[in-house]
Amino acid sequence: MSSLEYSRWYRKTYPEKRKETCKKYIENNKFRRKISVLMGDIKYRCENKKCPKYKYYGGRGIKNFLTVSDLINLWNRDNANLLKNPSIDRIDNNKDYNFDNCRFIEISENRKKGALENRISKEVEDKLIEMLIQKKLDRKINQFSKIVKINTHSISDWIKRKHHITIKSYNKLKGELKWEK
């Protein structure tokens, strides 16, 4: 029997087994593609100066020491296949991408983590808002927003407590507001 004849005979005799084999093959290829795209994204952020996010990764000295096999091992260790939208996370955002510093978590959890690390403390925020309210009472908020180059809507949202003040905004504000001790 030639290989072509055998192939036809096998398909007729075991159609369910063939479907199962094809399904596993397709799932395995999707997984491999996901891992290779992830590796490409990490390298792009850390190594390519033309990447818009380079300043947050490679520009800060963050390097990639992960390999594809490391990503696969992390995926299996963290059971990322059970997550709805898995995302690679650096446990310490000031350290490099390496096996001990990385894990897979839900993307929503990863975004929250980034937002929390980018905020100032509650006490400092309260004091800043107090000073901003005083500026608003003095009707100087428009002039102030031009000086610090932050739009008046953002400042109003902070006063109304709709948004938190980020570290970047705090650094713009602290020079212009006179701290009372």
Side-chain angles (χ1 to χ4, degrees):
M1 180 182 309
S2 71
S3 61
L4 183 62
E5 290 171 333
Y6 176 79
S7 178
R8 287 180 183 152
W9 170 81
Y10 187 84
R11 272 186 247 145
K12 286 180 188 173
T13 313
Y14 303 105
E16 291 304 313
K17 199 169 190 178
R18 184 173 177 274
K19 285 179 187 175
E20 190 178 306
T21 304
C22 288
K23 188 176 178 182
K24 283 182 183 176
Y25 177 78
I26 289 168
E27 285 176 9
N28 193 28
N29 277 348
K30 283 181 183 176
F31 170 72
R32 286 160 79 193
R33 172 135 175 79
K34 192 179 287 189
I35 292 293
S36 67
V37 166
L38 179 59
M39 178 57 83
D41 288 347
I42 292 170
K43 283 183 176 181
Y44 184 61
R45 290 189 293 249
C46 293
E47 298 169 10
N48 190 337
K49 291 181 180 176
K50 292 180 181 177
C51 173
K53 295 180 180 180
Y54 177 81
K55 61 185 172 187
Y56 305 115
Y57 295 89
R60 288 182 40 223
I62 305 297
K63 292 181 176 52
N64 175 35
F65 296 108
L66 289 174
T67 62
V68 172
S69 62
D70 286 338
L71 280 177
I72 292 169
N73 289 334
L74 282 169
W75 183 275
N76 292 329
R77 182 195 72 188
D78 299 335
N79 292 319
N81 58 319
L82 301 177
L83 300 173
K84 194 174 184 181
N85 290 310
S87 170
I88 190 83
D89 172 52
R90 283 177 294 126
I91 297 163
D92 182 346
N93 281 343
N94 296 317
K95 291 185 180 176
D96 299 318
Y97 281 99
N98 62 50
F99 189 82
D100 296 327
N101 189 41
C102 290
R103 64 183 174 176
F104 278 97
I105 59 174
E106 282 291 349
I107 196 163
S108 57
E109 196 178 321
N110 206 352
R111 286 184 182 139
K112 283 179 196 171
K113 180 184 171 211
L116 287 173
E117 288 177 355
N118 195 25
R119 285 195 345 213
I120 59 175
S121 71
K122 176 111 174 72
E123 297 81 30
V124 173
E125 187 175 54
D126 289 343
K127 192 170 182 180
L128 267 175
I129 289 171
E130 239 177 76
M131 295 172 135
L132 289 170
I133 289 170
Q134 190 57 46
K135 287 272 184 197
K136 193 172 183 179
L137 291 174
D138 295 343
R139 304 219 183 266
K140 297 177 185 173
I141 206 78
N142 287 336
Q143 293 171 325
F144 181 72
S145 74
K146 288 175 186 170
I147 293 168
V148 293
K149 295 179 179 141
I150 298 173
N151 71 41
T152 53
H153 296 293
S154 294
I155 295 172
S156 295
D157 284 350
W158 295 333
I159 291 170
K160 294 173 188 171
R161 305 244 182 215
K162 287 184 179 178
H163 300 290
H164 292 282
I165 301 172
T166 63
I167 292 170
K168 187 177 178 181
S169 299
Y170 165 72
N171 289 333
K172 287 181 179 180
L173 292 169
K174 75 177 180 183
E176 293 301 321
L177 290 173
K178 293 180 177 82
W179 290 98
E180 299 165 5
K181 294 189 178 187

